[in-house]
Amino acid sequence: MRTHYCGLIDEALIDQTITLCGWVDGRRDHGGVVFLDLRDHEGIVQVVVDPDTEAAFATAVEVGYEFCLRVKGRVRARVSFNDKMKTGRVEVLASEVEVLNAARDLPFALHENPNEDMRLTYRYLDLRRPEMQRMMRTRIRLVQALRRRLDAAGFQDIETPILTKATPEGARDYLVPSRVHEGEFYALPQSPQLFKQILMMAGFDRYYQIARCFRDEDLRADRQPEFTQLDMEFAFVEEADVQDYVENLIREVFDEVVEAQLEAPFPRMTWHEAMRRFGSDKPDLRIALELVDVAEAVKHVEFKVFAGPANDPNGRVVALRVPGGAELSRKQIDELAAHAAKHGAKGLAWMKVDNAQGGLEGVSSPVAKFLDEKALSGILEATQAADGDLLLFGAGPWGTVSEFMGALRLKVGKDRGLVENSWKPLWVTDFPMFEHDTEAGRFVALHHPFTAPKADDVAMLKADPHNAVSRGYDMVLNGAEIGGGSIRIHRPDMQSAVFELLGIGEQEAEAKFGFLLKALKLGAPPHGGIAFGIDRIAALMAGTESIRDVIAFPKTTSAQDLMTAAPSPVSVAQLDELHVQVAPSASDD
């Protein structure tokens, strides 16, 4: 239907007759001549319709915004150039204008900024917008660049099942009832984790897949119930083998897709150091602010809010120095306190440094009356606070304080314009093997149950699981975890020991992971891998904070597809076939 794309018309085509298809991005009537801006996925070109071409002109007079047209005409040089457009030195003098489809009563104009519900309901309109086209094509180029390099490096693209077995991996499974096996269910994969390990045991050596994954969890801007990851696994490797290869892969891909040069090598930081300095296991290094432990300075004070955690081995007292922050009003500080409270803080102590050499008389703070000169001196020395600075304090359990002070650091950095315009990659390593769930009274895996411990000794692991360190690693970029992986457990005795520490008994382990344990006994090689979040990487490359902008048909934060109205009820007949009954909720009559 067309000979060329609108956005690719240039001076080389002058005096040629061409045919274009696209949407009307704008229409102007000037002195009896109609000017149409015709848009397709490559861009916009100006079309001129002269009254001398009666049929074409009559059609052009009636067309409206977002009408879908076919235009035939001759390319000519523009009298007045528009160098803001790629096609700004040429135009098309139309001889024929055909309306392929009209657009009536548009819910929003493409140049407007409608709310997200409107955008998702009319996603096909939203995706027509040049900005959305740009972001989606960034994602496409990302996937193409990854595939080219992985194929060339001998990685084998192998698909794994979508209908699989329900296994505990940290989030709820989406379940699919079986029609053939009454009362039994498949689960959609949270990741291809076990299958890619099985492929290593099957001798495929290097595997990759652009995999669809499903998790029934609460959503945020960087989460979706279905998402895409680059899944990779290597046989006969240690941490450095995996990290070195994928670091170079990511560096090359960023250079190709967005012309970004990531530093080489990526810095490395242990999990404990990241939490201590930044309060996060995915620190944003573009913000220079760091948390400073001040427990030693306040251990002796009578103020129990500080002294209690300072003298508790599991407690923490930290300060965050905000350069020039003394200018903040009480209302602004209260807003910071409210933000900290969302992340677990019971309160937020603060101190304005008016005169760092003036002792207690040189600071303004609600907690200054509880401190002595020794404590203040220790705090100012540790934080290197200067005149005009603001100190924000966190005190309490180590993990809780780290979390809310880490969140506060990010907010202060963004609010104060302290985020450097750069790319800051990082490897975070040496994660704890386990977290202790106090409510459940048991350990949970920090990564997943198949991550190998640093200590390759079952007795040693069982003797001190609280301090066990894993062989897990995450790649972080600008405060986002873009990839996570580990060296896997490849011995059946170690895997059984980890299951036991996680409260997975022998019978449950056999029922849920029997196939894995059997495979581990039959010559399983040492292996490891990593998975990268395609959606997150694409969002970073496209310069958007929401992964929904780089997913063609995303769900809302309540896991709904507004365009198709999914999820939706199904007929009783369909449910009967699947041997499923829908029970009324407690709120129903």
Side-chain angles (χ1 to χ4, degrees):
M1 294 184 69
R2 61 188 169 192
T3 60
H4 294 80
Y5 291 113
C6 298
L8 301 182
I9 307 304
D10 58 21
E11 291 167 295
L13 295 171
I14 287 177
D15 288 331
Q16 291 190 31
T17 298
I18 64 172
T19 304
L20 304 173
C21 292
W23 289 268
V24 176
D25 199 70
R27 193 198 77 184
R28 303 174 302 284
D29 293 340
H30 288 174
V33 177
V34 175
F35 292 85
L36 302 175
D37 292 332
L38 196 65
R39 184 192 71 246
D40 63 15
H41 76 285
E42 290 289 356
I44 296 175
V45 68
Q46 178 170 283
V47 175
V48 181
V49 191
D50 193 282
D52 292 342
T53 54
E54 293 184 10
F57 186 78
T59 302
V61 167
E62 298 297 325
V63 303
Y65 180 62
E66 288 305 303
F67 273 42
C68 188
L69 303 184
R70 184 181 186 214
V71 172
K72 184 176 182 180
R74 178 173 59 85
V75 180
R76 69 182 187 184
R78 286 180 63 159
V79 175
S80 56
F81 297 155
N82 181 356
D83 287 330
K84 293 180 180 179
M85 294 173 59
K86 191 164 61 172
T87 62
R89 289 179 169 265
V90 294
E91 61 190 11
V92 178
L93 180 62
S95 57
E96 298 176 18
V97 176
E98 177 187 357
V99 175
L100 300 174
N101 212 332
R104 307 288 186 190
D105 302 322
L106 291 171
F108 58 86
L110 271 61
H111 62 270
E112 295 176 347
N113 189 25
N115 64 49
E116 188 164 64
D117 281 1
M118 185 71 77
R119 290 177 57 197
L120 295 183
T121 300
Y122 298 95
R123 188 60 165 180
Y124 36 87
L125 282 182
D126 187 42
L127 289 172
R128 276 190 214 166
R129 296 192 298 148
E131 179 63 7
M132 290 300 296
Q133 291 271 322
R134 179 191 67 80
M135 289 194 284
M136 288 302 303
R137 293 174 81 176
T138 297
R139 179 194 178 108
I140 292 164
R141 290 197 304 276
L142 163 64
V143 173
Q144 290 171 336
L146 289 169
R147 284 194 183 279
R148 280 197 303 272
R149 285 166 174 79
L150 291 167
D151 290 340
F155 283 83
Q156 298 168 90
D157 182 0
I158 305 175
E159 294 179 348
T160 53
I162 293 296
L163 296 176
T164 182
K165 185 179 181 67
T167 57
E169 291 185 39
R172 296 184 198 90
D173 288 317
Y174 277 102
L175 300 177
V176 181
S178 170
R179 179 183 59 81
V180 177
H181 302 281
E182 183 175 350
E184 298 185 353
F185 295 80
Y186 300 103
L188 303 183
Q190 295 185 31
S191 78
Q193 181 61 47
L194 294 179
F195 286 105
K196 68 179 181 180
Q197 290 188 237
I198 295 290
L199 286 170
M200 296 303 99
M201 300 169 198
F204 283 98
D205 197 75
R206 283 188 168 195
Y207 142 95
Y208 89 94
Q209 182 183 185
I210 307 294
R212 297 292 285 167
C213 305
F214 307 85
R215 294 181 186 176
D216 185 6
E217 58 186 352
D218 295 334
L219 306 186
R220 298 194 301 261
D222 62 344
R223 286 185 182 174
Q224 284 280 292
E226 52 181 316
F227 57 96
T228 306
Q229 66 184 37
L230 167 61
D231 205 50
M232 302 176 67
E233 199 76 5
F234 309 63
F236 303 106
V237 289
E238 296 184 343
E239 290 91 328
D241 300 309
V242 178
Q243 292 169 9
D244 290 349
Y245 177 80
V246 298
E247 177 181 320
N248 189 59
L249 171 69
I250 293 298
R251 190 181 296 109
E252 288 183 357
V253 166
F254 265 80
D255 188 17
E256 175 183 335
V257 178
V258 290
E259 297 182 350
Q261 283 73 51
L262 305 185
E263 62 185 286
F266 291 180
R268 280 167 164 72
M269 186 181 298
T270 66
W271 174 88
H272 191 273
E273 182 184 357
M275 296 299 294
R276 177 179 60 81
R277 293 172 57 189
F278 305 105
S280 172
D281 59 5
K282 48 181 181 181
D284 191 340
L285 299 186
R286 296 174 301 167
I287 301 171
L289 306 180
E290 294 194 21
L291 307 183
V292 178
D293 287 281
V294 294
E296 287 300 320
V298 297
K299 279 186 174 181
H300 66 282
V301 302
E302 294 183 5
F303 186 42
K304 291 185 179 180
V305 172
F306 281 3
N311 288 285
D312 182 347
N314 297 314
R316 190 174 192 195
V317 184
V318 299
L320 176 67
R321 181 176 74 90
V322 183
E327 68 183 16
L328 294 180
S329 66
R330 182 60 187 266
K331 180 183 178 183
Q332 289 173 307
I333 294 175
D334 288 344
E335 289 172 353
L336 294 177
H339 184 76
K342 291 179 184 177
H343 295 270
K346 293 183 177 179
L348 183 68
W350 55 271
M351 177 184 293
K352 291 184 177 182
V353 181
D354 304 314
N355 178 9
Q357 304 302 318
L360 287 170
E361 297 297 321
V363 299
S364 305
S365 170
V367 300
K369 59 187 176 183
F370 301 112
L371 306 177
D372 56 23
E373 293 288 354
K374 176 184 176 183
L376 178 63
S377 176
I379 290 171
L380 296 180
E381 182 179 351
T383 59
Q384 296 294 295
D387 295 353
D389 289 348
L390 172 69
L391 297 178
L392 302 173
F393 297 94
W398 198 91
T400 303
V401 169
S402 299
E403 181 176 346
F404 74 72
M405 290 299 289
L408 197 61
R409 171 183 172 270
L410 291 178
K411 179 170 176 58
V412 169
K414 291 174 182 177
D415 289 353
R416 303 284 293 172
L418 301 176
V419 182
E420 182 183 331
N421 183 22
S422 62
W423 295 100
K424 292 289 186 181
L426 173 72
W427 280 110
V428 178
T429 65
D430 296 340
F431 285 78
M433 270 290 286
F434 309 108
E435 290 179 303
H436 194 263
D437 187 331
T438 52
E439 290 185 12
R442 64 181 183 87
F443 288 111
V444 294
L446 199 68
H447 263 81
H448 53 61
F450 321 109
T451 298
K454 285 259 184 182
D456 194 26
D457 182 274
V458 170
M460 190 181 301
L461 178 67
K462 287 185 173 181
D464 189 15
H466 288 275
N467 294 310
V469 175
S470 81
R471 299 179 72 180
Y473 37 82
D474 283 356
M475 184 184 289
V476 176
L477 182 62
N478 291 4
E481 177 204 327
I482 62 170
S486 67
I487 299 301
R488 323 302 187 187
I489 298 169
H490 73 281
R491 296 198 337 257
D493 60 335
M494 180 61 78
Q495 187 64 77
S496 295
V498 168
F499 284 157
E500 183 182 335
L501 288 168
L502 293 173
I504 302 173
E506 189 174 338
Q507 287 186 333
E508 184 183 0
E510 183 60 36
K512 293 181 175 176
F513 302 106
F515 65 97
L516 173 68
L517 294 170
K518 186 181 297 182
L520 291 174
K521 295 175 183 177
L522 300 175
H527 58 284
I530 194 166
F532 287 99
I534 294 292
D535 310 307
R536 290 184 185 179
I537 296 175
L540 284 169
M541 287 181 163
T544 178
E545 293 188 0
S546 174
I547 62 172
R548 287 191 285 274
D549 287 336
V550 292
I551 298 173
F553 302 104
K555 306 292 190 293
T556 66
T557 51
S558 58
Q560 292 178 297
D561 181 343
L562 298 181
M563 187 183 73
T564 64
S568 57
V570 297
S571 69
V572 173
Q574 283 180 286
L575 292 175
D576 287 345
E577 272 195 319
L578 296 170
H579 321 291
V580 170
Q581 286 184 322
V582 177
S585 67
S587 62
D588 290 339
D589 293 335

